[in-house]
Amino acid sequence: MKTLAIFGSTGSIGTSTLDVVRQHPGRFRVRYLTAHRNAALLCAQAREFAPDAVAVVDPASAREAREILGSSVDVLSGMDGLLELARREDYDTLVSSLVGFAGMLPTIAAIQSGHDIALANKETLVVAGEIISRLLERHGVALAPVDSEHSAIWQCLAGEPPHSVAKLILTASGGPFRGRSREDLADVTREEALRHPNWTMGSKITIDSATLMNKGLEVIEAHWLFRVPPERIEVIVHPQSIIHSMVEFADGSVKAQLGLPDMKLPIQYALSHPDRFAVPGPRLDLLELRRLTFEEPDLETFRCLALAYEALAAGGTAPACLNAANEIAVQAFLDGRIGFLDIARVIEESLAAIPAVDAADIESIIATDAETRIFATSCAARSARTVSFS
Amino acid sequence: MKTLAIFGSTGSIGTSTLDVVRQHPGRFRVRYLTAHRNAALLCAQAREFAPDAVAVVDPASAREAREILGSSVDVLSGMDGLLELARREDYDTLVSSLVGFAGMLPTIAAIQSGHDIALANKETLVVAGEIISRLLERHGVALAPVDSEHSAIWQCLAGEPPHSVAKLILTASGGPFRGRSREDLADVTREEALRHPNWTMGSKITIDSATLMNKGLEVIEAHWLFRVPPERIEVIVHPQSIIHSMVEFADGSVKAQLGLPDMKLPIQYALSHPDRFAVPGPRLDLLELRRLTFEEPDLETFRCLALAYEALAAGGTAPACLNAANEIAVQAFLDGRIGFLDIARVIEESLAAIPAVDAADIESIIATDAETRIFATSCAARSARTVSFS
């Protein structure tokens, strides 16, 4: 029986994680749950899974949760509440499915307390890959990827000697705008961008999929997870999203992991590995699909992917800057304040304006993150003016 | 340094094995080489690799080899010569790349002498799977598959718990006659059947690819190698021969091994595993291929595949009968004595005529093999008469 702390339990990955728990009675015990502000869902989850405590980041929502749950469950609040739960000793694995930069500190706290991590929050490795790698080693902690692409690579690496990896090949669906030109994308709406062809996910990651920034963040994440240099991490567009990623080995052999697009599989593997738990349900049927296709990514139209490679090459706090600028720009796009192409522009200007410094301590990352958010916000406001003037 | 006995060194797999040895100086030492009758090539190989001894099955060719090599290398002859070398203690791994039923006895002799096996001779497992499995266990010997499909499955199983395998998915190119109807195939020539779209191999196995019997033999081989029941071994036609085979796991995850069609890769992996040795040379490029396609096999037109499943289900000596009848029928087709569709007919009649008995001892297998060859030969002669009368 593995005891879990599920951070971000009301989000897409969090609810899927609870589906996995439900599917395997007797295998998991839910000790802690946390949410940003969805008190109603969190309380329903707490009633079903009877955690020892929950935490809610937003104070008003925390009060709401306390009213609903009464004295049956301990309700903590704020980032402090999350950090306190992350540091408790009585659970095995933290499922980190918080969204964005906010996921970094609780993840670090859990590692420092010796807990294994199932990581869905890619921003943690993007902004603090160097620090996290060092902490994992120091505390002897295992980090299991939950992203479907990294889970695929991890599955392909099982039983293989690490020195035999020649290349990681991340697949990308290409998003809703695959095949479109830059001109086509100038006027796309928030609704068009949120219409992902294969996956149902939160809105931030869905926009990241449309810009290919999601793949860029995954390149950086893969670099830190598998210690492979950027020039040996390739992105290939595979519109069917059936091959979730691949590894090429030194002898020319390539291994791929395939499956239906269902996040429950990588979540479950992160919690069951090296074992696999049987699950019923639909299976991949290549005879029904009949074909898998592959294309080169269009780095001209989807600048965000190129910017991510550039930030990784620049090193230091550049990926933290990339990530912060992207979070601000995506929110501005979702709010209707800037256009789709402005997302890359805001990020590019931020990377040019904010100098990359050494990323060996958490303070420099937090400083870069804060500085970038201020710059990117004013940069987005300028874009907005440009849009309204034109 | 691994010392090798390469049995069948002048054939397609044998010469590729020596290419692998050449490519990795210092990793392998060739101790023994054997050939059926190609004395000239065997002697050239002996000069280059300086084995301690060689053996030639055909006595006249053995004399020829003795004349060429003089006293520099010991030359044994006949099946006895092969068995004597197989039983010597001073080598690590037998590469068994003999063709057909003849590969069984030397392979068994090597296992009984405690040598690991790299098995390219699929007939050994097809006819004597039960016996071989028992011997491997008793002598603590590891058997590595060399067939590209089985190597693919083996690579996909690395690091996976055996109980988690849900299904093996063997890919088939479909051969030169994919998409043709039975009527189309009545008059195809030996030359058409020998024109394999993706692989360059010996003539026996190339005809087996055209009839899909090769895939049928591989299903039986996979059953014994990976202990998976026939109903969980699936064949899928994949004309590009890029995915070499796949494994579906209990959680719905599928792993595939991909590569260029080059037998050197599975040969090398059989000798290097669990490690992988770096090799230069061309790499799989999915962007160049652009698509991978999948079809159902046509079991009506390609009866041989269905017959193989039937023989495996019947059990006992039925697969030995299937194999012997196929060897006779393919030779008759290669000699121009019977038509392409007669191959399946000879096998089907043989399976109906020769009763399947328990296959727990080698004598019953040898008896079934001999009996089937006599029956299938006369059956092929009858087919030939039918053809000439029509």
Side-chain angles (χ1 to χ4, degrees), chain A residues 109-319:
Chain A
I111 297 172
Q112 286 172 328
S113 312
H115 297 295
D116 285 342
I117 308 287
L119 187 74
N121 174 264
K122 67 189 74 178
E123 289 83 355
T124 295
L125 277 177
V126 169
V127 304
E130 193 181 330
I131 293 171
I132 298 285
S133 304
R134 216 174 43 224
L135 287 175
L136 290 172
E137 205 166 319
R138 185 186 309 158
H139 297 278
V141 158
L143 189 148
V146 167
D147 246 355
S148 66
E149 292 79 358
H150 302 87
S151 177
I153 289 170
W154 195 42
Q155 291 179 54
C156 291
L157 290 175
E160 299 288 350
H163 66 85
S164 70
V165 174
K167 197 164 75 177
L168 307 180
I169 305 165
L170 289 164
T171 54
S173 71
F177 303 137
R178 179 176 62 90
R180 305 269 200 105
S181 68
R182 273 188 76 79
E183 298 76 59
D184 291 340
L185 296 186
D187 301 317
V188 294
T189 64
R190 171 197 143 95
E191 283 61 40
E192 290 172 290
L194 283 172
R195 215 173 288 140
H196 194 276
N198 304 325
W199 293 93
T200 307
M201 305 176 290
S203 58
K204 159 73 164 57
I205 191 173
T206 304
I207 300 302
D208 284 347
S209 294
T211 63
L212 292 203
M213 177 56 93
N214 187 47
K215 212 48 56 179
L217 298 177
E218 285 173 10
V219 168
I220 301 175
E221 191 185 1
H223 167 71
W224 290 111
L225 275 173
F226 306 112
R227 316 306 301 233
V228 170
E231 63 275 15
R232 296 202 277 121
I233 305 175
E234 192 177 308
V235 171
I236 183 171
V237 173
H238 165 49
Q240 298 82 24
S241 292
I242 293 300
I243 295 183
H244 295 150
S245 277
M246 296 176 257
V247 177
E248 181 188 296
F249 295 94
D251 58 3
S253 182
V254 173
K255 272 160 80 172
Q257 188 267 336
L258 300 78
L260 297 172
D262 179 349
M263 283 308 295
K264 286 202 292 296
L265 172 55
I267 292 167
Q268 178 177 304
Y269 187 72
L271 299 175
S272 74
H273 80 100
D275 202 357
R276 293 180 183 273
F277 299 158
V279 283
R283 286 297 194 254
L284 177 63
D285 183 354
L286 288 171
L287 291 175
E288 200 188 301
L289 285 162
R290 307 205 75 76
R291 72 177 59 190
L292 303 175
T293 65
F294 309 94
E295 305 165 10
E296 247 169 305
D298 173 359
L299 295 182
E300 281 303 307
T301 304
F302 301 96
R303 279 286 296 149
C304 284
L305 177 54
L307 292 172
Y309 271 103
E310 287 168 24
L312 180 56
T317 53

Side-chain angles (χ1 to χ4, degrees), chain A residues 155 256-260 265 276-287, chain B residues 152-154 156-157 160-170 226 228-229 231-234 236 243 245-257:
Chain A
Q155 291 179 54
Q257 188 267 336
L258 300 78
L260 297 172
L265 172 55
R276 293 180 183 273
F277 299 158
V279 283
R283 286 297 194 254
L284 177 63
D285 183 354
L286 288 171
L287 291 175
Chain B
I153 289 170
W154 194 42
C156 291
L157 291 175
E160 299 289 350
H163 66 86
S164 70
V165 174
K167 196 163 78 176
L168 308 180
I169 305 165
L170 289 164
F226 306 112
V228 170
E231 63 275 17
R232 296 202 278 124
I233 305 175
E234 191 178 309
I236 184 172
I243 296 183
S245 278
M246 296 176 257
V247 176
E248 182 189 296
F249 294 94
D251 58 2
S253 180
V254 173
K255 273 161 80 173
Q257 188 267 337

Side-chain angles (χ1 to χ4, degrees), chain B residues 170-197:
Chain B
L170 289 164
T171 54
S173 71
F177 302 138
R178 180 176 61 91
R180 304 270 201 106
S181 67
R182 274 188 75 79
E183 298 76 60
D184 290 341
L185 296 186
D187 301 317
V188 294
T189 64
R190 173 196 142 98
E191 284 61 40
E192 290 172 289
L194 284 172
R195 217 173 287 140
H196 194 276

Side-chain angles (χ1 to χ4, degrees), chain B residues 130 314-321 354-361 363-365 367-368 371:
Chain B
E130 192 181 331
T317 54
C321 171
I354 312 289
V357 298
D358 191 78
D361 60 87
E363 288 71 26
S364 58
I365 288 165
T368 297
E371 200 182 343

Side-chain angles (χ1 to χ4, degrees), chain B residues 290-303:
Chain B
R290 306 206 74 75
R291 71 177 59 189
L292 303 175
T293 65
F294 308 94
E295 305 166 10
E296 248 171 303
D298 173 359
L299 295 182
E300 282 302 306
T301 305
F302 300 97
R303 278 286 297 149

